[in-house]
Amino acid sequence: MVLVAVARERSFTNAAAKLGVSQSALSQTIRQLEARLGIRLLTRTTRSVGLTEAGERLLRTVAPRLEEIDAELAAVSELREKPAGTIRITAGDHPAETILWPKLEKFLPNYPDIKVEVAIDNGLTDIVAERYDAGVRMGEQVARDMIAVRIGPDIRFAVVGAKSYLANRPRPRTPQDLLAHSCINQRLPTYGGLYAWEFERDGRELKVRVEGQLVFNGVFQVLKAAVSGFGLAYVPEDLALPHLAAGRLERLLEGWSPPWSGYHLYYPSRRQSSAAFGLLVEALRHRG
């Protein structure tokens, strides 16, 4: 407020310089304020400028409030410079473990005021209805009205089985041969049933509904059961590789599993992006 500046500087010249306005503009503003209130606020002499009784009363009342406003404005500005807020994400167990968490582990320490909630759900959750800020799914599963940002490389699946399971059984040569094997199933809520194993070769696509003794709704349990010799499993290649390298598992039907578009972070196109959300998207973005 111009009155505060003049009272503190006791000079129109100094106050104008501090406010970055001309002395004539400052004088005009004070005259308009006094005219609107119908009372003189300043006493002017050739040497200095002082407050009248009315000016002092107004200053005592207004100045503390102006300081509070300045403090609040500074706090809001700090929030802009220091992003904050809670971001809710739904993701399947595999991307949450192998992509989201490794990147969040590096991102979050730099932004202590950003909170992230990750809900593990292997179904295709309606993120708008369930009030999530974003979801993580493979590229083919993302609806066209969503903005999709790739956060991981292409992904392949692998049919695997333990040496103990395969010891006295013939290796499957085609996907149809899986029907003669005990397979470990995964239940996906979106499909309302068991996941049909998907294959492709020479442009030919096949879906095989396998049977077995075990059903899980998480891929990590499927993998553990396969390692323990309870049957064949169809799991993301990256999860199987350490077990393949160690000889705990054997890979089958490799030529039938082409690469699929990797995991994407998706969110509604109409979502207004906050600074915190924008930073998180960039931190998750795949750079490979």
Side-chain angles (χ1 to χ4, degrees), residues 109-128:
N110 297 320
Y111 300 98
D113 294 314
I114 296 179
K115 299 178 181 179
V116 178
E117 176 184 342
V118 179
I120 306 300
D121 183 358
N122 290 311
L124 295 177
T125 304
D126 184 337
I127 62 173
V128 176

Side-chain angles (χ1 to χ4, degrees), residues 266-277:
Y266 67 97
Y267 52 94
S269 56
R270 62 181 179 275
R271 186 192 190 285
Q272 292 191 1
S273 181
S274 66
F277 187 76

Side-chain angles (χ1 to χ4, degrees), residues 90-97 100 118-123 136-137 220 263:
T90 174
D93 53 356
H94 178 233
E97 178 72 19
L100 272 185
V118 179
I120 306 300
D121 183 358
N122 290 311
V136 176
R137 296 293 179 264
F220 292 97
Y263 289 111

Side-chain angles (χ1 to χ4, degrees), residues 66-129:
L66 289 176
E67 290 175 359
E68 289 176 9
I69 292 171
D70 285 342
E72 287 301 319
L73 289 174
V76 170
S77 178
E78 185 178 350
L79 280 179
R80 183 185 63 214
E81 297 166 2
K82 190 177 181 182
T86 298
I87 300 169
R88 299 182 70 232
I89 302 174
T90 174
D93 53 356
H94 178 233
E97 178 72 19
T98 61
I99 295 177
L100 272 185
W101 175 240
K103 293 186 177 184
L104 287 175
E105 193 174 16
K106 297 177 181 178
F107 171 78
L108 291 175
N110 297 320
Y111 300 98
D113 294 314
I114 296 179
K115 299 178 181 179
V116 178
E117 176 184 342
V118 179
I120 306 300
D121 183 358
N122 290 311
L124 295 177
T125 304
D126 184 337
I127 62 173
V128 176

Side-chain angles (χ1 to χ4, degrees), residues 111-234:
Y111 300 98
D113 294 314
I114 296 179
K115 299 178 181 179
V116 178
E117 176 184 342
V118 179
I120 306 300
D121 183 358
N122 290 311
L124 295 177
T125 304
D126 184 337
I127 62 173
V128 176
E130 298 297 326
R131 297 183 179 276
Y132 286 102
D133 295 292
V136 176
R137 296 293 179 264
M138 282 192 286
E140 293 88 349
Q141 298 173 317
V142 177
R144 295 192 178 186
D145 60 344
M146 294 283 173
I147 293 176
V149 177
R150 180 186 278 266
I151 62 173
D154 284 350
I155 183 172
R156 294 183 71 192
F157 274 63
V159 177
V160 294
K163 299 292 176 68
S164 59
Y165 171 80
L166 293 167
N168 299 309
R169 294 178 174 88
R171 272 64 172 167
R173 302 300 176 189
T174 69
Q176 291 91 337
D177 293 340
L178 294 170
L179 297 175
H181 283 266
S182 178
C183 298
I184 304 159
N185 268 302
Q186 184 174 359
R187 187 176 296 280
L188 296 179
T190 302
Y191 297 101
L194 303 181
Y195 167 64
W197 294 12
E198 299 174 86
F199 301 96
E200 182 181 333
R201 189 172 187 177
D202 301 326
R204 178 187 173 201
E205 296 182 3
L206 280 176
K207 288 187 178 182
V208 180
R209 294 197 175 275
V210 297
E211 303 247 346
Q213 190 178 13
L214 283 169
V215 177
F216 295 99
N217 66 352
V219 70
F220 292 97
Q221 292 73 30
V222 170
L223 179 65
K224 286 181 181 179
V227 172
S228 297
F230 282 90
L232 303 182
Y234 198 36

